[in-house]
Amino acid sequence: MANLSPRRLLPLLTSPHKGGRAALTCRFRCGNQCAHDVLNTSDNAYFGDVVAEAMSRRGVLRAGALGALVAGVGVTTAVPAAADPAVEARTASGFGGDRHGGSGLRFTAVPPNTDDKVTVPEGYETAPVVRWGDPVLPGAPAFDFENQTAAAQAAQFGYNCDFVTFFPLGQQRGLLWVNHEYTDENLMFRGYKSGDTASEEQIRIALAAHGGSVVEVERVGRSGRWKLVTQGRRRYNRRVTAQTPMAFSGPAAGSDLLKTAADPAGARPLGMLNNCAGGTTPWGTVLSGEENFNQYFVNGNGVPEAQKPSLTRYGVSATTGIPSGNRRFDRVEERFDLAKHPNEVNRFGWIVEIDPFDPDSTPVKRTALGRLAHEGATTSLAGDGRVVAYMGDDSRFEYVYKFVSRKRYIPGFDRHNRTLLDEGTLYVARFTGDSPAAEIDGTGKLPADGLFDGSGEWIPLVTGDVSHVPGMTAQEVLVYTRLAADKVGATKMDRPEDVERNPVTGGVYVALTNNSNRTPAQVDEANPRPSNKHGHILEIAERRNDAGATTFAWSLPLVCGDPDDPSTYFGGFDKSKVSPISCPDNVAFDAEGNLWISTDGNQLGAHDGLFAMPVRGSERGHLRQFLSVPVGAETCGPLVSPDQRSVFVAVQHPGETNGATPEAPTSHWPDGGTSQPRPAVVVAWHRQGKKIGS
């Protein structure tokens, strides 16, 4: 790998986000968040500076030193403590062992492209499973783009699909849960201009198109293909929308901060909004994360003065009445007007638990997991059986969190297990570089402990009703979690999105998509570059490989971008043999522990895609593109089926490009011809029945 100039830094250290997303996506998905001021104005350390300091302390800034850093601390062979008691004896940090391990990945990479289709490797096929507007509830009408109604949409598959998870119903049938993150009214309705002029029915359609869907699917023959079940009872099928009655649980339920005129007890929120990624629980429920909820509200300038700082910290303008581009949900539901209902915004930004097997159950917003721009929540078990949920706050300079339950998971004891996410400790991460200065001679030689690494700790914010943050009550910590994390000195990150634990190695992986704005104060002679536009993957090994631990080590197995750029890094693998990748978003794992990465906002001139990379063995870092999505689309999901014969991907916002309208669409996927683009979940499979990745 070529050396870097001493005055050139790694791309992860700085950041404006430009060029990868269309203006429509920025407007409708997050309310043009990157165009606004950075919300986190705390003096907390920034992760890019942590890495820069670790490198500069060695007196050398070069790709070789980075390679030593990431290779030295990679969780290449760690295994869950419960599965391998010897791991504790090997090393107190959770690292160690050899680099052997088969990946099972043998497919030929898909080249970067700009085709208006889903492209997969030779030997694979792909097909839509369910599309925007497909009937979900029995009796729902067929989709009719020209004659949409709110009543129909509430019974049909919602708009922009994101998180996908699968629950088997035997070998031939199963349930898909799919999040519906946001609506793009500009593509949904002809002649749409703004929320100010939209019809009330269009606004109600948009409310109904948010949320999530449970749909029954069936296998096609003995193949890896799945299709939507369209006949019969379909007793599990369900739509959850922005108007579905829900419940609060946990320590903040009933807080004065959650009470409204319509719900004076602060116990019954209505609906969920902007649900991005998610996870599942060991007891078979869905966890869905509310993300960019701030963009749906108006008249933040009319809230009480004491509430304005917290409103601003969560991205709601406290000085503007009607933000530009607002959907104006307040025109049909007064609760979105904060001047009249200032606490309504506090009722969003939670992890929502949904039972896919009980369509009559009430979704629950679990307040013990904190309130933030939740990308999702993925669960694991600590060595002693406690449930752990990992979470990212998807915004510039925000934080990584985890929750550890007080009580232990008991297989089969459903009534007990459904209380586990209501009582426990919420933590936020602090990252540091820890190479001993006396052992660093500037040559790149490893210190005595054999590691160029970083370390970190999980800082407790709240345990049950007890706050660990001076000056804040437990309920305040949970409702204003960002402010609490600011106070305890958490480390600012580059848009932490999906956080998942590898079921084979036990390593925890964080997708850090990019950072669109690094302030001038964070640029100096040692940190001159203002760009982390391609993002990176963070790898964490918790002490003794226990998800319940409060300390960890970290490394960077993947620094994204063009492999020809010497500042990129692919786990030490030969970069002439890897695929270019930009803006990692969601991650998943297959049965061999390979890392699968979906991207959002590719800034290398090609479409987004799905990539696979071994994290151990001689193939560690051999990243290959498995799939690409159509014009204007983002790759969401992804999900490798339990039998590894199928991979599901949510194709979000196809055709969402600058200037696109129903009169002038820029994509006709998935229906082809002159059709309008429709977000959809697709499945890919090997035509010979081989495992995904073969």
Side-chain angles (χ1 to χ4, degrees):
M1 187 181 295
N3 287 347
L4 290 174
S5 162
R7 298 176 64 84
R8 183 178 183 185
L9 281 192
L10 308 172
L12 62 100
L13 303 180
T14 54
S15 74
H17 181 197
K18 295 179 181 178
R21 279 188 186 167
L24 281 179
T25 309
C26 294
R27 172 186 173 187
F28 287 104
R29 180 158 67 193
C30 60
N32 290 310
Q33 184 176 144
C34 290
H36 300 153
D37 291 339
V38 172
L39 303 179
N40 187 350
T41 59
S42 72
D43 293 329
N44 292 356
Y46 167 50
F47 183 66
D49 293 331
V50 172
V51 176
E53 181 180 359
M55 300 302 293
S56 62
R57 284 173 63 186
R58 299 178 178 89
V60 60
L61 277 173
R62 65 188 190 202
L66 176 64
L69 170 70
V70 297
V73 300
V75 284
T76 59
T77 57
V79 293
D84 184 3
V87 73
E88 180 176 337
R90 285 205 305 269
T91 169
S93 71
F95 294 107
D98 58 36
R99 289 176 59 87
H100 299 295
S103 71
L105 299 176
R106 293 180 292 275
F107 67 91
T108 300
V110 169
N113 65 81
T114 56
D115 298 332
D116 191 29
K117 64 179 183 178
V118 175
T119 303
V120 289
E122 180 66 29
Y124 285 85
E125 296 186 31
T126 183
V129 179
V130 57
R131 303 160 298 177
W132 168 46
D134 283 346
V136 170
L137 304 183
F143 180 66
D144 183 347
F145 181 86
E146 306 295 348
N147 296 285
Q148 300 178 58
T149 68
Q153 179 62 89
Q156 297 167 334
F157 195 69
Y159 203 67
N160 276 325
C161 41
D162 199 299
F163 172 66
V164 178
T165 194
F166 179 87
F167 299 90
L169 295 172
Q171 293 186 344
Q172 295 300 115
R173 293 215 171 192
L175 298 179
L176 282 184
W177 164 270
V178 184
N179 283 357
H180 300 302
E181 184 177 3
Y182 72 98
T183 49
D184 185 335
E185 286 82 345
N186 196 70
L187 297 182
M188 293 172 67
F189 309 119
R190 292 190 185 276
Y192 182 87
K193 298 299 182 184
S194 70
D196 297 322
T197 58
S199 71
E200 291 190 1
E201 184 69 3
Q202 287 175 331
I203 295 174
R204 292 189 176 95
I205 291 169
L207 282 162
H210 282 75
S213 294
V214 178
V215 294
E216 187 174 347
V217 295
E218 60 183 350
R219 189 189 298 274
V220 177
R222 296 175 179 244
S223 73
R225 180 179 179 179
W226 293 80
K227 67 177 183 178
L228 188 66
V229 175
T230 58
Q231 301 293 326
R233 185 179 176 190
R234 292 163 284 165
R235 62 193 180 101
Y236 299 116
N237 280 22
R238 181 181 190 181
R239 276 302 323 280
V240 176
T241 74
Q243 298 162 310
T244 300
M246 300 190 176
F248 280 125
S249 72
S255 166
D256 288 345
L257 299 172
L258 301 180
K259 294 177 180 178
T260 64
D263 178 26
R268 297 288 174 181
L270 188 64
M272 61 188 198
L273 288 170
N274 210 267
N275 291 71
C276 190
T280 57
T281 65
W283 49 92
T285 58
V286 172
L287 299 179
S288 181
E290 296 181 298
E291 191 183 9
N292 295 306
F293 59 89
N294 55 292
Q295 64 176 306
Y296 299 93
F297 295 90
V298 301
N299 294 330
N301 57 340
V303 305
E305 287 300 315
Q307 189 174 336
K308 288 184 177 180
S310 62
L311 203 65
T312 300
R313 185 65 181 84
Y314 278 83
V316 180
S317 175
T319 60
T320 303
I322 310 297
S324 175
N326 190 273
R327 291 174 174 82
R328 298 302 308 275
F329 285 177
D330 64 295
R331 290 179 53 211
V332 300
E333 294 194 10
E334 187 183 271
R335 62 189 171 120
F336 291 101
D337 184 341
L338 294 178
K340 298 177 180 177
H341 305 282
N343 279 351
E344 184 67 25
V345 69
N346 296 341
R347 293 153 71 87
F348 294 91
W350 303 99
I351 293 296
V352 187
E353 185 173 6
I354 301 109
D355 186 345
F357 295 98
D358 184 358
D360 297 320
S361 61
T362 300
V364 179
K365 297 194 176 188
R366 299 288 184 186
T367 66
L369 276 65
R371 175 174 165 266
L372 42 111
H374 278 288
E375 174 75 10
T378 58
T379 63
S380 186
L381 293 180
D384 60 6
R386 291 176 296 162
V387 174
V388 179
Y390 297 95
M391 301 168 285
D393 187 348
D394 183 10
S395 190
R396 297 167 293 163
F397 302 107
E398 294 301 342
Y399 308 122
V400 176
Y401 299 83
K402 82 171 179 179
F403 170 85
V404 181
S405 68
R406 185 181 72 84
K407 296 180 289 186
R408 300 176 183 180
Y409 169 68
I410 303 175
F413 193 177
D414 194 61
R415 186 175 64 179
H416 163 82
N417 293 332
R418 300 216 178 191
T419 69
L420 296 180
L421 297 182
D422 283 338
E423 195 174 0
T425 300
L426 180 65
Y427 298 88
V428 67
R430 179 189 291 150
F431 298 84
T432 59
D434 66 354
S435 297
E439 296 182 7
I440 305 303
D441 60 10
T443 67
K445 179 181 177 181
L446 290 171
D449 65 0
L451 302 173
F452 277 153
D453 63 350
S455 64
E457 60 181 316
W458 293 106
I459 307 168
L461 295 174
V462 61
T463 301
D465 293 322
V466 178
S467 169
H468 302 298
V469 182
M472 297 183 74
T473 67
Q475 290 184 341
E476 288 172 336
V477 169
L478 294 173
V479 176
Y480 301 133
T481 308
R482 283 181 170 177
L483 291 166
D486 292 344
K487 286 193 171 188
V488 300
T491 304
K492 300 176 181 179
M493 310 296 286
D494 286 348
R495 286 188 57 208
E497 300 218 29
D498 207 3
V499 186
E500 304 235 6
R501 192 175 189 223
N502 190 320
V504 176
T505 71
V508 177
Y509 291 79
V510 185
L512 296 159
T513 296
N514 52 40
N515 190 336
S516 62
N517 187 345
R518 192 177 189 195
T519 66
Q522 292 170 315
V523 175
D524 54 33
E525 186 173 2
N527 297 274
R529 289 182 59 186
S531 178
N532 181 18
K533 62 183 180 180
H534 299 303
H536 52 288
I537 296 289
L538 171 69
E539 186 178 57
I540 293 172
E542 295 178 283
R543 182 175 174 82
R544 296 174 180 169
N545 216 8
D546 185 356
T550 57
T551 58
F552 56 84
W554 57 264
S555 66
L556 303 176
L558 177 62
V559 180
C560 300
D562 187 338
D564 290 336
D565 183 342
S567 64
T568 59
Y569 182 77
F570 290 75
F573 197 81
D574 182 350
K575 294 202 296 179
S576 69
K577 299 178 181 179
V578 302
S579 296
I581 182 172
S582 177
C583 301
D585 190 341
N586 295 113
V587 297
F589 298 94
D590 59 29
E592 278 77 35
N594 296 308
L595 177 65
W596 291 75
I597 307 167
S598 62
T599 65
D600 167 21
N602 187 342
Q603 301 197 41
L604 292 171
H607 289 173
D608 280 313
L610 176 64
F611 300 76
M613 186 184 86
V615 297
R616 57 182 181 158
S618 60
E619 292 283 293
R620 173 177 166 86
H622 187 183
L623 181 131
R624 282 173 282 188
Q625 183 164 357
F626 177 81
L627 172 152
S628 64
V629 293
V631 171
E634 169 193 345
T635 318
C636 296
L639 174 71
V640 180
S641 66
D643 64 5
Q644 293 211 110
R645 294 172 61 192
S646 314
V647 60
F648 296 93
V649 170
V651 179
Q652 191 180 101
H653 58 76
E656 195 170 64
T657 60
N658 294 334
T661 65
E663 292 73 28
T666 56
S667 173
H668 301 290
W669 187 89
D671 297 330
T674 60
S675 65
Q676 297 294 330
R678 297 168 69 182
V681 174
V682 301
V683 62
W685 69 98
H686 197 287
R687 64 172 62 102
Q688 294 180 354
K690 296 179 181 180
K691 289 183 178 180
I692 293 298
S694 298

